Amino acid sequence: MTRPSGRVKPGWLLGIVAVVLLTRLPAVLHRRAIDDEVYYAVVANEMLHGGLPYRDAVDRKPPLLYAVYWAVFRVAGFPNWVAVHLLAVAWTLATMGVLFLLGRRLFDARAGVLAALLYGAFQPILTLSNLAFSGELLMNLPLAAAVLVLLWAESGARREPLLAGALVGLAFLLKQPAGIGLLPLGVYALSRGHRRSGGWSVRDGWQAAVLVGVGFAAVLGLTAAVLASHGILAEAWYWVVRDHDVPHGPLDAVFWQRLEMRGGLFLLCTGPLVLGTWETLTARERWIDREPEREALLALVLASLVGTAASGRFFLHYFLQLLLPLALLAVALTAGAPALA
């Protein structure tokens, strides 16, 4: 495992903040809801007046997303879109901060800064709707934090895998596709144990993989208990999980037409990230003694692709979940020789 190396210059940090502020300034100045924000606000408004989601106001997002909007409006007043969009700026900066720590942990401080900058620069790709305080934007923070926590785990650790799984559970409660983040965490745990990386044994790998699942299940179980106490567990299960038919699946020509059009736009706008990812995945020498990390990030790319395609609609903001692994993989090209523990 690499150790943090290099120092972070204040100018780098100012650059990160400047990128986010400049790219999100249109959203902050936009004193109205951006796309789906209005639906989340309707549910939150019902909650402010004593109503319940999935019963008094119906939408198909997980409950934690509505709770975040409820908290914002409870503090700042309803409807305060400036507060919502300022929180989106803070949330983006927090996600970039975690990406910095990930890049530094994997490579060095410069790679961490670049990973954060890449995420901040490419996050508002092409359309104003990607500046919305959406589920995809929200879920990226706990997902990135889950990866970071598991990277920090020592051999035989229990708290870190449990916390990583719990963070994936929180991400799922913000947007359903985040649940597939369990796959790369499991891949990392098993690969690290199999390769005995960082002193891990095969037993450590299996134990960590199981504990990640336990942490995830604990968060969902606690949430189910809270929903049941309010008498809306069945309604939440229906709207969050069951009511998600895919009218145009992979066997439908519409699925591939949408993928070609919107996926093509994503590739056009994020070409450097995609090319950098391809180059770093084929440059195996940059991952000497880091194979578990490489396999985990590759699994995160594949899982994010599945999450993006799950509904068959390919809205551009669905592609935001791909930016986490692409930013981390692309910066490997700029990193120096491995500084291994």
Side-chain angles (χ1 to χ4, degrees):
M1 176 61 63
T2 61
R3 293 188 183 279
S5 61
R7 293 184 177 181
V8 180
K9 298 179 180 179
W12 296 355
L13 299 179
L14 290 175
I16 290 176
V17 175
V19 166
V20 175
L21 293 180
L22 288 174
T23 55
R24 301 200 72 89
L25 186 60
V28 175
L29 297 178
H30 187 70
R31 296 176 179 272
R32 296 181 181 177
I34 300 175
D35 290 348
D36 289 350
E37 288 177 347
V38 67
Y39 303 119
Y40 313 149
V42 168
V43 178
N45 190 37
E46 286 294 327
M47 294 168 65
L48 287 170
H49 291 84
L52 292 170
Y54 313 114
R55 179 175 296 174
D56 300 306
V58 174
D59 193 32
R60 300 191 298 177
K61 299 299 185 292
L64 188 55
L65 176 60
Y66 305 129
V68 170
Y69 270 76
W70 170 85
V72 174
F73 293 136
R74 180 69 180 270
V75 172
F78 180 88
N80 192 328
W81 296 112
V82 172
V84 170
H85 298 147
L86 284 174
L87 182 57
V89 173
W91 203 279
T92 302
L93 285 170
T95 306
M96 293 168 66
V98 176
L99 278 170
F100 163 73
L101 295 174
L102 278 167
R104 189 177 67 168
R105 180 71 175 174
L106 287 169
F107 304 107
D108 52 36
R110 182 180 62 176
V113 169
L114 287 174
L117 281 172
L118 287 173
Y119 181 84
F122 284 98
Q123 187 265 318
I125 52 173
L126 193 63
T127 173
L128 182 65
S129 66
N130 282 349
L131 295 176
F133 197 38
S134 63
E136 285 75 19
L137 177 69
L138 284 159
M139 76 181 197
N140 275 348
L141 176 55
L143 268 182
V147 176
L148 179 62
V149 166
L150 199 57
L151 282 178
W152 270 333
E154 302 293 341
S155 60
R158 296 184 179 182
R159 288 179 297 181
E160 287 86 351
L162 279 171
L163 178 57
L167 287 166
V168 177
L170 292 176
F172 174 84
L173 293 174
L174 292 165
K175 191 65 187 288
Q176 296 95 322
I180 205 167
L182 289 173
L183 174 63
L185 294 186
V187 167
Y188 175 70
L190 295 176
S191 176
R192 193 170 173 184
H194 176 72
R195 297 177 184 275
R196 301 184 183 278
S197 175
W200 280 37
S201 65
V202 174
R203 180 179 179 181
D204 290 332
W206 280 102
Q207 174 183 278
V210 170
L211 289 174
V212 166
V214 171
F216 178 83
V219 168
L220 264 62
L222 179 61
T223 302
V226 172
L227 294 171
S229 69
H230 287 88
I232 56 171
L233 178 59
E235 291 88 343
W237 173 258
Y238 176 81
W239 291 112
V240 175
V241 179
R242 293 184 56 197
D243 187 45
H244 285 273
D245 293 334
V246 180
H248 302 290
L251 299 181
D252 191 322
V254 175
F255 178 94
W256 298 104
Q257 290 169 359
R258 289 177 175 174
L259 175 59
E260 179 181 8
M261 180 178 65
R262 292 166 184 165
L265 286 174
F266 176 80
L267 291 175
L268 180 65
C269 294
T270 60
L273 280 182
V274 176
L275 290 175
T277 295
W278 176 259
E279 289 295 326
T280 192
L281 285 175
T282 55
R284 298 294 288 267
E285 67 275 6
R286 292 190 176 273
W287 299 92
I288 296 174
D289 289 342
R290 293 195 192 110
E291 281 297 323
E293 289 76 21
R294 178 183 179 276
E295 292 171 3
L297 290 176
L298 177 58
L300 184 57
V301 171
L302 297 176
S304 299
L305 284 170
V306 173
T308 301
S311 69
R313 293 182 289 178
F314 295 104
F315 293 142
L316 287 175
H317 62 277
Y318 286 5
F319 289 89
L320 293 180
Q321 58 195 290
L322 280 165
L323 294 183
L324 286 179
L326 292 183
L328 286 168
L329 286 166
V331 299
L333 290 176
T334 70
L340 300 174

